[in-house]
Each structure stands twice: as structure tokens, then as C-alpha cells.
Amino acid sequence: MKIRPVSPDDFPAWLALWNANNLGHKDEDVTTQTWTRLNDAQSDVHALVAENKAELIGLLQYVLHPTTGSIEPVCYMQDVFVAPEHRSQGIARTMIETLEQIGKREKWARIYWLAEASNEAAQALYKSLGHKLDFTLHILPTND
């Protein structure tokens, strides 16, 4: 298995993973914009993919941004998805560890993420990697 940045040629396989990650909630405009951002060298939106025998089996998408808490940028790990038939093989962990290596090399202040409390597999993985903070998330939609 190989972890690498997404490339323009990955679109069909990325799209299948993206759609599965979104549980069938499709918004073509969001998909198009996300793919455009992922392939724009000037964008702060990035992706890693897990590849096994020329097949994409996982994706990890992240956003780099400034923060008021540090001089260095921080990384929001937004999407981590492994195709169901490839789960429980350490692929998500390997993608996150690769992201961590990038963050150390590029001197990011931290990597952070959100996960549904009911997703037991994700919670187990994330507790083994990071520190859980006891905050609640609040959302105030501005475009509804």
C-alpha cells in the first residue's frame, strides 16, 4: 500500500470514495469545487489517497489555515474514509500518520479533527492517536 497526494488522474476513483464518504448526499457544485481545490497548488485544501495495486482504497482530506493561537498554520483533518472492504487493516492510521509526518516536516502547530461520538471504530483509532478535548461543537448556518 502507498499513501500519496491525490492527482488529477485520480478523479474517477476519488469520486467513488468521495460519494461513499458522503453517504449518498450529493451536491455536484460542492464536488466540483472540492476537486478543483484539491488540484490547485495555491489552495489550502489538500488530499492524500491510499493506493493498493493501482486501486484507490482510502482518502484523507485536510485544510491548512492560520489561527490566532500560533504563528504556524494548523491543519483541520476533514475527511478520513476507507472503502468498507479494506477496513480494519490499518489504512486510516497509516494515512493519518503520513499526515502527521507532513505536519512535522512543514512545522504545523497541530492537526485537529471532529468525529461523530457514535462512530466507535473512529473513536478507538482517534483516541489512540490524539488527545480528546471536551468541547461542544455549535453551528450557526449563514447561507440558509
Side-chain angles (χ1 to χ4, degrees), residues 76-79 112-117 122-123 126 135-137 139:
Y76 173 54
M77 185 175 68
Q78 187 160 5
D79 300 300
Y112 69 101
W113 60 90
L114 299 170
E116 292 179 2
Q123 290 296 329
Y126 296 153
F135 286 87
T136 58
L137 173 67
I139 297 175

Side-chain angles (χ1 to χ4, degrees), residues 52-96:
N52 188 30
K53 299 178 182 172
E55 175 188 8
L56 294 193
I57 57 175
L59 63 80
L60 184 155
Q61 296 174 156
Y62 60 99
V63 181
L64 294 176
H65 65 89
T67 185
T68 59
S70 69
I71 294 170
E72 299 83 7
V74 297
C75 174
Y76 173 54
M77 185 175 68
Q78 187 160 5
D79 300 300
V80 178
F81 180 80
V82 175
E85 62 273 19
H86 295 282
R87 291 183 182 161
S88 299
Q89 299 175 29
I91 296 165
R93 175 181 295 278
T94 302
M95 288 191 298
I96 295 168

Side-chain angles (χ1 to χ4, degrees), residues 46 62 64 72-73 99-109:
H46 307 275
Y62 60 99
L64 294 176
E72 299 83 7
L99 184 65
E100 179 185 26
Q101 292 169 2
I102 294 168
K104 286 179 178 180
R105 184 176 66 242
E106 296 183 4
K107 300 187 183 337
W108 303 339

